[in-house]
Amino acid sequence: MRIGILGSGLMGGKLGTIFARAGHQVVFSYARSEQKLKKLARDAKGNARAGTPREAAADADAVLLAVHWLRMEDVLDQAGDLSGKVIVSCSLPMNAGDTGLVVAHTSSGAEELAKRIPKARVVSAFNTVPSEVLFGVFEARRRATRPGLVYCGDDKSAKAVAAELIQDVGFDPVDAGPLRIARYTEPFALLVAQLAYEGKGGPELAYRFERIPRATLSRRL
Ligand SMILES: NC(=O)c1ccc[n+]([C@@H]2O[C@H](COP(=O)([O-])OP(=O)(O)OC[C@H]3O[C@@H](n4cnc5c(N)ncnc54)[C@H](OP(=O)(O)O)[C@@H]3O)[C@@H](O)[C@H]2O)c1
């Protein structure tokens, strides 16, 4: 796939690098220095280059949105027309101090984003893991047991694209349902961050969902 990265920081830089190493064509965009984007593209050692947000989005099969909530308007303005595009957003609607969500309970950052770009096909994914786990998960991707990663969205084919990317990084994609479920996954992302940075286990924390067969459950009860 051709993947445009809008926001090449901790998440966008790492995910873009992994996408390139997994065989995708990547355009890194939106950082404060062009040198940084060029270095990311060089270091990715795959099919990657630096570009403007408009270039990153123009021919993309999927766009990864990875900017702070306060930068959203600016990056969308710079990206131009995103009609029909698959937008995989890992952005959380955090306040300026990163202490809490500014959208919650009755909506989510992902839903507000979808209202802002109604002709795009928004999927919420990758925001429930700390960026520190990403390279480790990619390196361990051939192991039988993979960590799970939840995603949600309203467009079936856009979700299939996101699931493929999630798998390429090394996670088991866990379909959490329609985009409105982001109201629950976004606060869950804060729980994961809390556990990762302040709880035991540190930022390498990733998680796994397991189905417990009913029979086992009733035995346990
Ligand atoms: N980091 C995580 O572990 C994590 C986990 C889950 C969800 N998220 C969410 O993912 C999103 C991205 O997080 P992040 O940690 O990757 O953020 P980040 O490291 O700050 O990256 C944001 C990118 O935006 C760029 N940027 C900021 N201001 C700019 C400006 N004025 N002009 C041009 N570019 C500008 C930054 O440029 P520079 O590269 O020059 O700084 C950087 O490339 C956020 O919404 C966050 O809530 C992050």
Side-chain angles (χ1 to χ4, degrees):
M1 281 186 242
R2 291 162 300 187
I3 302 173
I5 307 290
L6 298 180
S8 299
L10 289 171
M11 291 300 277
K14 289 186 176 121
L15 284 170
T17 299
I18 291 170
F19 294 151
R21 290 183 186 165
H24 298 288
Q25 287 177 39
V26 172
V27 181
F28 288 102
S29 80
Y30 204 74
R32 275 164 287 209
S33 104
E34 204 191 335
Q35 292 318 314
K36 177 185 172 173
L37 297 174
K38 285 186 173 161
K39 182 168 170 16
L40 272 173
R42 262 197 320 275
D43 292 351
K45 294 192 175 71
N47 192 340
R49 67 182 176 88
T52 63
R54 198 169 289 265
E55 287 164 350
D59 297 320
D61 302 303
V63 171
L64 179 81
L65 194 47
V67 296
H68 194 280
W69 195 244
L70 300 177
R71 307 299 320 164
M72 196 59 85
E73 275 305 315
D74 186 51
V75 78
L76 292 177
D77 283 349
Q78 291 195 37
D81 185 11
L82 295 172
S83 299
K85 296 280 177 199
V86 175
I87 311 288
V88 179
S89 175
C90 71
S91 294
L92 292 167
M94 300 301 291
N95 61 18
D98 283 326
T99 53
L101 297 166
V102 292
V103 183
H105 310 306
T106 55
S107 186
S108 60
E111 289 164 277
E112 295 307 307
L113 177 67
K115 281 186 214 156
R116 166 69 174 75
I117 38 174
K119 290 186 180 151
R121 298 180 286 152
V122 175
V123 181
S124 172
F126 293 114
N127 51 20
T128 53
V129 283
S131 67
E132 285 86 348
V133 309
L134 295 170
F135 284 129
V137 169
F138 182 61
E139 274 148 32
R141 67 194 178 283
R142 292 195 179 84
R143 286 201 200 135
T145 308
R146 292 169 154 224
L149 195 125
V150 287
Y151 67 108
C152 60
D154 292 332
D155 184 287
K156 209 173 155 193
S157 58
K159 285 176 82 174
V161 168
E164 189 180 333
L165 293 176
I166 291 168
Q167 225 154 3
D168 285 348
V169 178
F171 292 98
D172 260 345
V174 179
D175 184 352
L179 200 62
R180 66 177 166 76
I181 299 301
R183 293 172 199 185
Y184 315 124
T185 58
E186 289 177 1
F188 174 68
L190 297 202
L191 167 68
V192 174
Q194 175 70 24
L195 288 169
Y197 298 114
E198 293 186 35
K200 281 188 182 166
E204 70 274 16
L205 177 124
Y207 52 87
R208 175 154 185 85
F209 293 99
E210 282 186 56
R211 272 188 198 285
I212 303 176
R214 259 174 225 275
T216 320
L217 254 186
S218 49
R219 263 207 307 280
R220 279 189 193 169
L221 289 174

